[in-house]
C-alpha cells in the first residue's frame, strides 16, 4: 500500500496516510484529525538538485542533447 500526502478540506490538517489506491480513489480515507472524508492531495515541491557522476561524464553522455548533460551517465 502506498502513502499519500493528503490535506483535509474540513480542518486543514495535512498528513501522510497509508491507504489502498481504491480507498483513496473512492474517498474512503478518513482524516486522522477530525474523521472527515473530504481529503485532497497535498502536492509538495520536490527538492531541486542535480547529481553528476565524477569526472567529465556529461560530455560522454550519448544523449546529452536530450538531458542537457545533467544526467548521471
Amino acid at each position: 500500500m502506498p502513502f499519500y500526502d493528503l490535506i483535509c478540506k474540513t480542518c486543514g490538517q495535512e498528513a501522510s496516510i497509508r491507504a489502498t489506491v481504491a480507498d483513496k480513489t473512492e474517498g474512503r480515507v478518513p482524516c486522522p484529525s477530525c474523521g472527515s472524508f473530504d481529503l485532497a492531495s497535498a502536492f509538495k515541491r520536490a527538492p531541486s538538485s542535480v547529481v553528476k557522476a565524477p569526472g567529465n561524464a556529461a560530455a560522454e553522455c550519448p544523449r546529452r542533447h536530450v538531458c542537457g548533460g545533467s544526467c548521471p551517465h
Side-chain angles (χ1 to χ4, degrees):
M1 261 189 288
F3 281 89
Y4 297 98
D5 291 325
L6 301 171
I7 188 164
C8 179
K9 293 181 182 179
T10 303
C11 71
Q13 179 70 31
E14 193 172 325
S16 182
I17 301 172
R18 186 175 180 202
T20 65
V21 174
D23 284 346
K24 181 187 178 291
T25 303
E26 296 173 16
R28 297 186 302 225
V29 179
C31 171
S33 180
C34 72
S36 171
F37 289 93
D38 195 11
L39 302 175
S41 293
F43 295 101
K44 301 194 178 205
R45 188 173 168 188
S48 58
S49 63
V50 176
V51 178
K52 291 187 178 182
N56 194 9
E60 299 168 6
C61 177
R63 297 182 46 90
R64 69 180 165 271
H65 64 283
V66 175
C67 70
S70 62
C71 70
H73 296 110

